[in-house]
Amino acid sequence: MTTSLDQQPVGQAIDGGEVTAPMTGRVRFLAAARRQPTDVTPVWFMRQAGRCLPEYRALRAKYDFLTVAKTPELAAEATLMPVTRFGVDGAVLFADIMLPLEGMGVPFRIEPNVGPVIDHPIRTAADVAALRVIAAEEATPYVLDALRLLRRELGERAALLGFSGAPFTLACYLVEGRSSREYPQTKALMYGAPDVWHQLMETLTEVVIRYLRAQVAAGAEAVQLFDSWLGLLGPPAYEAYVLPYSRRIFAALRDAAPTIHFSTGTVALLEQIASAGSDLVSVDWRLPLDEAWARIGPGQGIQGNLDSSLVLAPWEAVETGAKDVLRRAGGRRGHIFNLGHGILPQTPADTLTRLVEFVHGTSGSAARAG
Ligand code: CP3
């Protein structure tokens, strides 16, 4: 069933004032993404549509991963599961960072408990030159169809988030061919054949910009760039080999939708990451949230940053950790509550439901005043 957007009461964020009227999840999320006041702190979880949910495991017992991701009705079903169960304010499209690679001429598969595998990795100038850049509508029509379907089905419950892998993280899979701890071949290519590297990054940047802009046109209301393996780089390498491309991506989305820049293990790169120009910076638990925000500066919002493993602990520990995150955020505009990285598959779903209730229940201005 679809609900008309204007049938439901929506708390209005008044610039400069406290918000006391309740907001819908969608309005709350988008207000925080634009650093406007919210009634309470919005929450979502990375990898929320996944194996911690019994209903997702039941869906996966019937269809393999790529069938779910490439069938708009199934992808929409998986996307909505955590919205219904956890009451999160953001619905992240069920998809994978690898999907656009197929349209570039790079076949891959997802192996259970291994992750993405590419049988013929990209390692030479000729491999890079052979990569194709085609329209996102042609490469990943199912992603865009799923977004169109979801925007109608979500109504005011939650904002719809699109995402893409960042060029560096995609390059890690393209060059290495599979998940790795150190991505040594990728870094060897980067340092040893910079011309090939830059050509690869140019191509990926173009694909990512087209992909994210097409997602926004199809209904994504905010987008996250996943640079999951950025923590492998030190500041000079980040500056020389990655940052210019991230800057180009965020600049290309500035007029389209709010952007979130995700990475993990990047305490050493925080100011540089912020300078890439996203609206929000996603930080993990390795730095307290207030310290991270002080380093990023007041001009950008922040997403995070509860330890993804803390939600495996008994509730009392989770509550203490969540309170600490909220205290450090201090009710400032532009905080979106999340874990520092994705939900681990063994996470008890009930803890996450309770965590969303707790964040919503304790972060409002009334709760802060009391
Ligand atoms: O709920 C959501 O966050 C949306 C769905 C989503 C998936 N992958 C589904 C998925 C998102 C946002 C991703 C992003 C993604 N994919 C990233 C960046 C996020 C991060 O955690 O840093 C990365 C690095 C990948 C690559 C990838 N795909 C990995 C490492 C794996 C997991 C391998 C494993 O089995 O542990 C995948 C497969 C994958 N993507 C699964 C899901 C739910 C599990 C596969 C399954 O259900 O069988």
Side-chain angles (χ1 to χ4, degrees):
M1 201 195 74
T2 46
T3 328
S4 160
L5 297 188
D6 43 33
Q7 271 171 8
Q8 302 192 5
V10 174
Q12 284 303 312
I14 301 154
D15 223 355
E18 291 279 355
V19 175
T20 45
M23 290 174 146
T24 65
R26 174 176 178 238
V27 167
R28 177 182 299 137
F29 187 100
L30 294 174
R34 298 187 183 108
R35 275 184 299 117
Q36 293 165 355
T38 57
D39 57 346
V40 298
T41 303
V43 197
W44 72 287
F45 302 115
M46 290 177 270
R47 308 304 276 276
Q48 65 191 11
R51 286 166 294 181
C52 77
L53 291 177
E55 53 272 37
Y56 175 76
R57 294 197 297 268
L59 187 69
R60 283 279 287 101
K62 287 195 273 178
Y63 308 98
D64 69 18
F65 175 76
L66 286 176
T67 302
V68 180
K70 291 183 177 185
T71 309
E73 292 73 20
L74 297 178
E77 190 182 333
T79 302
L80 292 171
M81 285 173 180
V83 178
T84 303
R85 183 187 272 258
F86 302 140
V88 284
D89 303 297
V92 62
L93 174 69
F94 186 85
D96 195 81
I97 59 165
M98 302 298 284
L99 296 176
L101 302 185
E102 222 163 45
M104 299 178 72
V106 184
F108 68 90
R109 58 200 146 79
I110 304 271
E111 277 189 14
N113 302 315
V114 174
V117 177
I118 295 173
D119 287 323
H120 301 287
I122 303 301
R123 303 216 172 131
T124 65
D127 292 339
V128 173
L131 294 172
R132 289 183 310 193
V133 181
I134 60 173
E137 289 79 0
E138 201 186 318
T140 44
Y142 47 84
V143 163
L144 307 175
D145 286 342
L147 287 168
R148 284 186 273 265
L149 193 60
L150 278 161
R151 192 52 265 154
R152 288 199 302 273
E153 290 194 0
L154 273 169
E156 283 295 313
R157 281 187 286 168
L160 180 56
L161 311 187
F163 71 91
S164 172
F168 175 74
T169 291
L170 293 174
C172 283
Y173 283 106
L174 282 173
V175 178
E176 219 72 28
R178 55 169 59 226
S179 294
S180 150
R181 245 170 70 88
E182 302 281 351
Y183 291 91
Q185 317 227 43
T186 309
K187 290 171 78 176
L189 180 82
M190 186 182 84
Y191 292 123
D195 291 353
V196 178
W197 176 263
H198 285 294
Q199 194 51 51
L200 175 59
M201 294 298 275
E202 287 284 342
T203 306
L204 287 168
T205 300
E206 183 59 32
V207 169
V208 169
I209 288 172
R210 288 176 184 221
Y211 187 47
L212 288 176
R213 289 193 66 98
Q215 290 185 35
V216 173
E221 296 164 295
V223 292
Q224 176 154 317
L225 190 70
F226 277 99
D227 218 345
S228 304
W229 313 137
L230 212 49
L232 294 169
L233 299 182
Y238 180 60
E239 181 88 36
Y241 300 114
V242 177
L243 180 56
Y245 304 100
S246 309
R247 283 211 172 110
R248 214 187 289 168
I249 292 168
F250 292 120
L253 286 157
R254 190 143 305 134
D255 63 345
T259 51
I260 308 173
H261 192 180
F262 168 81
S263 65
T264 175
T266 46
V267 170
L269 305 177
L270 202 51
E271 289 82 357
Q272 285 171 294
I273 286 172
S275 82
S278 58
D279 293 295
L280 289 97
V281 177
S282 191
V283 294
D284 72 18
W285 53 86
R286 291 172 178 88
L287 204 58
L289 192 102
D290 48 342
E291 280 180 44
W293 216 334
R295 283 176 54 184
I296 288 165
Q300 281 162 293
I302 212 158
Q303 171 171 279
N305 72 342
L306 198 68
D307 191 331
S308 303
S309 298
L310 180 50
V311 286
L312 304 179
W315 172 253
E316 290 64 38
V318 179
E319 186 176 312
T320 304
K323 259 190 203 151
D324 187 59
V325 169
L326 291 171
R327 183 180 62 76
R328 290 175 188 278
R332 276 175 286 183
R333 295 176 197 178
H335 178 218
I336 295 178
F337 191 100
N338 206 318
L339 307 178
H341 201 168
I343 292 175
L344 300 165
Q346 64 270 39
T347 305
D350 290 346
T351 300
L352 297 171
T353 307
R354 204 165 164 187
L355 180 55
V356 174
E357 279 168 14
F358 181 78
V359 171
H360 284 164
T362 19
S363 59
S365 52
R368 279 200 302 273

